[in-house]
Amino acid sequence: MSATKPIQSSNDFVIKFANVNGSGSASANELFARAIIRMGVPVAPRNIFPSNIQGMPTWYEMRVSAAGWLGRRGGCDLMVAMNPQTWDRDIAEIEPGGYLLYDSTKSLPRSRFREDITVLGIPLTEICNREYTDARQRQLFKNIMYVGALTALLDMDVASVEKLIADQYRGKDKLIGANVNALKLGYDHAKETLSCPIGLRVERSNGVGEKIFVNGNDACGLGAVYGGATVAAWYPITPSTSVIEAFSSYCRKFRTDPDNGMARYAVVQAEDELASIGMVIGASWNGARAFTATSGPGISLMQEFFGLAYFAEVPAVIFDVQRGGPSTGMPTRTQQSDLISCAYASHGDTKHVLLFPEDPYECFTLGAQAFDLADRLQTPVFVLLDLDIGMNDRLCQPFDWDDQRRYDRGKVMSAEELEAGKNFGRYLDVDGDGIPWRTIPGTHPTKGAFFSRGTTRNAYAKYSEAGTDYTYNMERLRRKLETAKQLVPAPVLKPASQPTRFGAIYYGSTSAAMAEASVLLEEQGIHVDTLRVRGFPFADEVIDFIDGHDFVFVVEQNESGQLRMLLLTEGEIDPKRLIRVLHYDGTPITARFISGKIAGALSEHKVTPIRKQVAS
């Protein structure tokens, strides 16, 4: 028994599973998360896994939150410790008054435990050795057994979990029976030997509603299909590979001719990242909507072709699922560390359009929108998500699509317009928005643009090294980026409950933690307006937001403060007014971290929180 009062909480706690990579635990842990979702309780799971194939520690952290918080909270209330290698680290992470569930087949001295937690032991290995003879079955069903034990400990409906197993293995009756049997073994043993339920409970609720449970990479793949993409060229790299896998899967369903079975799409695995972006640019120049998916190292290798697409003004879409760097870095950890390398990719005076989705819903919507923007602006468009969004399933609103929506191909001149003798200059700015007209090869047998080059030229695409022609093109490209400010998704403003001199800017996967951090700060009497940036170049509202506050906290997940750098460069802001809130250990940022950093910074500036007045 714990010397500290055990935590008592319903539908509001964190469970963490400590396993070994390659043990088959991931599917069991996800099954448990889905079981709680089916009970109507919001869940935010995160898989923390190594970059090798097998044998290293892995964790699955699951936040249960009736309030619907989807960011990491920090700490855990119940640790399922199945890895002796990380025992001490895992035990230390449990909150005082928390719970430990472990395999008690091998007895451990009292010194290996903490006095302020409740210890729950089940001899899982012993039971598995008794029930099963196959070594692999023993390992796999041990995972299902602890799911059964948790079902009892948390007072969950075991019949609902059984039904979920039946749904998951529909058509494979042998697997259904075997998994249900393992589930009941764990459930019955916990009921017979432990005090069930414990202080943590899962109670049926209606907090999930119509939300769907999906990861960002799958959403990007589907967004590319709905955005009109027919060509994907790529080279495998963690954590972006499943974007292409999802696109291929959806294309087999939606881009296959029902009459003859012919594929109306092309997915090409290139020999490297440089070749893949070259293929994308070639397909886009020919009129297809084409994209690639990569991560930081791939972005580094593609730099020269980014410059070509920017200067030759060829559309392209790049999904960058960011991971820890530099170099190989931490391939299976999350960061937001590619902003600078994408915003100014290639050499010379280049600047690119960036989109920052916050969840799988925006991975779908912004993923589709990226193709319209690329065509409209005739330039590469980067969709920057990260591993936390890309590879972790997350609850979000259902995807929606307007069937009346038509693709925006931008300024593409038709054969009829060319035949009529309409003035055509491939790089001629006819209306002041910086965007010229283009033609698709084959539109007209003799008229239009048939060649593109990366060297400088005049407005009519004729080779020229005249300074005036080069200056004309560079100034026009800058005007195009000013136009882009009006086309990228607008920032999202959330004012504090009362007027304040302080603001916070954030983007992407920090959104869930930032929403909760705002509430934590309000509870301390600290009021902060927040602005979520969704695109670059920055809309005027972003700079106006900074100008309207004395200090603005810039919350991001990298070491160097790259969003802050972009704001300083593009907005010519006084650096002292932008305060860094940086998190970069490879794990997703937490609300506790954000609120602690902001509260600490304001304390240093001797800002007194405004306390709510309580009526006597």
Side-chain angles (χ1 to χ4, degrees):
M1 293 296 296
S2 169
T4 302
K5 185 177 180 180
I7 297 172
Q8 304 288 318
S9 183
S10 173
N11 292 353
D12 186 13
F13 52 87
V14 175
I15 304 177
K16 194 165 186 177
F17 300 82
N19 300 103
V20 176
N21 199 32
S23 65
S25 59
S27 59
N29 298 339
E30 183 179 329
L31 173 76
F32 186 65
R34 289 180 180 274
I36 296 178
I37 290 173
R38 283 204 173 188
M39 292 182 67
V41 183
V43 167
R46 284 171 172 82
N47 194 12
I48 305 168
F49 57 98
S51 56
N52 71 342
I53 297 174
Q54 188 168 331
M56 294 292 286
T58 184
W59 292 269
Y60 189 88
E61 182 180 286
M62 188 170 67
R63 183 175 186 182
V64 180
S65 173
W69 298 125
L70 299 179
R72 286 185 71 229
R73 188 200 69 184
C76 79
D77 304 303
L78 169 57
M79 176 67 72
V80 182
M82 295 291 141
N83 188 354
Q85 295 176 336
T86 60
W87 177 271
D88 292 336
R89 172 180 173 180
D90 297 331
I91 299 300
E93 197 170 338
I94 304 172
E95 297 281 313
Y99 302 84
L100 167 69
L101 176 63
Y102 79 109
D103 184 352
S104 61
T105 300
K106 181 180 178 180
S107 61
L108 295 173
R110 187 171 180 175
S111 60
R112 300 299 304 277
F113 301 97
R114 282 170 44 187
E115 295 292 332
D116 61 345
I117 62 174
T118 298
V119 178
L120 308 162
I122 296 182
L124 295 169
T125 300
E126 178 185 315
I127 297 172
C128 283
N129 288 343
R130 183 184 70 227
E131 297 289 332
Y132 307 103
T133 56
D134 181 78
R136 185 59 176 165
Q137 282 188 334
R138 287 173 173 174
Q139 177 59 61
L140 294 176
F141 289 132
K142 182 165 71 173
N143 301 324
I144 300 298
M145 281 177 56
Y146 69 62
V147 170
L150 288 170
T151 303
L153 291 167
L154 301 177
D155 200 23
M156 296 170 59
D157 179 13
V158 68
S160 296
V161 185
E162 291 176 10
K163 185 178 186 307
L164 180 60
I165 291 174
D167 291 343
Q168 184 164 312
Y169 295 108
R170 183 176 289 114
K172 301 177 181 178
D173 292 346
K174 289 184 177 180
L175 290 177
I176 294 173
N179 278 277
V180 168
N181 180 64
L183 180 81
K184 287 184 174 179
L185 284 172
Y187 181 87
D188 292 342
H189 195 280
K191 281 285 192 180
E192 293 167 4
T193 63
L194 300 173
S195 296
C196 297
I198 59 175
L200 306 178
R201 309 282 184 92
V202 178
E203 299 179 354
R204 286 196 175 276
S205 177
N206 58 358
V208 174
E210 298 298 318
K211 291 185 176 69
I212 61 174
F213 193 52
V214 65
N215 66 65
N217 282 0
D218 284 355
C220 286
L222 185 60
V225 172
Y226 273 76
T230 56
V231 176
W234 67 302
Y235 185 79
I237 183 172
T238 301
S240 71
T241 296
S242 57
V243 173
I244 303 297
E245 292 172 345
F247 177 74
S248 299
S249 175
Y250 290 125
C251 278
R252 285 193 293 272
K253 183 176 181 180
F254 297 117
R255 296 241 189 283
T256 300
D257 192 307
D259 297 325
N260 55 29
M262 295 290 290
R264 293 176 171 173
Y265 64 94
V267 178
V268 183
Q269 181 176 328
E271 61 268 31
D272 54 34
E273 287 89 349
L274 185 61
S276 69
I277 189 62
M279 293 175 184
V280 167
I281 294 169
S284 296
W285 179 80
N286 272 284
R289 287 193 157 185
F291 76 98
T292 190
T294 189
S295 192
I299 294 294
S300 298
L301 291 170
M302 296 176 182
Q303 296 285 311
E304 185 174 0
F305 266 139
F306 290 150
L308 172 63
Y310 175 81
F311 199 55
E313 299 182 65
V314 180
V317 172
I318 302 95
F319 291 96
D320 177 12
V321 190
Q322 299 167 91
R323 71 189 208 188
S327 188
T328 304
M330 296 189 292
T332 58
R333 297 291 188 266
T334 195
Q335 273 191 13
Q336 297 173 311
S337 51
D338 295 347
L339 270 73
I340 297 297
S341 59
C342 289
Y344 304 119
S346 194
H347 55 278
D349 294 315
T350 54
K351 188 188 296 185
H352 300 290
V353 176
L354 314 180
L355 304 181
F356 307 123
E358 71 164 345
D359 63 3
Y361 175 81
E362 286 197 343
C363 286
F364 171 74
T365 56
L366 299 190
Q369 184 181 357
F371 292 91
D372 277 353
L373 287 173
D375 272 356
R376 176 82 176 269
L377 294 166
Q378 300 176 30
T379 197
V381 173
F382 295 76
V383 182
L384 269 66
L385 58 156
D386 56 44
L387 184 146
D388 184 34
I389 301 176
M391 295 194 70
N392 288 315
D393 287 333
R394 184 176 298 192
L395 288 170
C396 67
Q397 68 185 89
F399 302 160
D400 51 37
W401 187 262
D402 182 1
D403 288 334
Q404 302 302 313
R405 175 175 170 177
R406 294 293 177 264
Y407 299 140
D408 183 353
R409 299 309 302 259
K411 296 179 179 179
V412 179
M413 196 166 286
S414 67
E416 291 76 17
E417 290 171 320
L418 290 169
E419 185 65 32
K422 186 173 181 179
N423 183 30
F424 174 71
R426 174 62 187 95
Y427 299 109
L428 183 66
D429 185 2
V430 296
D431 53 14
D433 66 358
I435 305 171
W437 286 81
R438 65 180 175 127
T439 57
I440 304 299
T443 298
H444 192 284
T446 60
K447 298 177 181 180
F450 290 86
F451 299 97
S452 294
R453 66 195 324 155
T455 51
T456 190
R457 66 276 160 159
N458 65 15
Y460 291 89
K462 293 182 179 179
Y463 177 76
S464 170
E465 292 189 10
T468 52
D469 288 332
Y470 177 79
T471 301
Y472 164 80
N473 272 296
M474 294 306 296
E475 290 178 350
R476 182 181 54 75
L477 288 170
R478 290 302 180 197
R479 287 197 300 276
K480 181 198 290 191
L481 289 166
E482 287 297 315
T483 300
K485 290 181 180 182
Q486 312 303 317
L487 299 177
V488 298
V492 178
L493 172 65
K494 291 186 178 180
S497 61
Q498 56 185 268
T500 176
R501 298 181 292 125
F502 308 106
I505 290 179
Y506 62 101
Y507 63 104
S509 66
T510 60
S511 178
M514 187 69 234
E516 185 179 4
S518 296
V519 174
L520 295 178
L521 289 166
E522 291 266 350
E523 290 173 352
Q524 302 173 55
I526 300 173
H527 305 283
V528 180
D529 296 329
T530 65
L531 188 76
R532 179 166 69 90
V533 176
R534 298 201 296 159
F536 175 84
F538 300 124
D540 292 339
E541 297 97 306
V542 177
I543 307 305
D544 292 343
F545 178 84
I546 297 173
D547 290 342
H549 295 85
D550 292 351
F551 295 100
V552 174
F553 298 93
V554 185
V555 182
E556 50 187 321
Q557 298 185 98
N558 57 67
E559 185 273 336
S560 53
Q562 295 185 22
L563 178 61
R564 181 177 179 272
M565 289 184 196
L566 285 178
L567 290 168
L568 292 174
T569 300
E570 299 296 325
E572 299 182 356
I573 308 297
D574 179 359
K576 294 179 181 179
R577 297 177 57 213
L578 297 183
I579 303 173
R580 300 177 180 89
V581 178
L582 305 177
H583 185 274
Y584 47 89
D585 67 359
T587 63
I589 197 168
T590 68
R592 290 179 178 180
F593 179 89
I594 296 172
S595 59
K597 288 291 186 181
I598 291 178
L602 291 178
S603 177
E604 289 180 8
H605 285 82
K606 295 181 173 54
V607 175
T608 303
I610 300 173
R611 301 298 179 185
K612 292 182 179 180
Q613 297 294 322
V614 180
S616 58

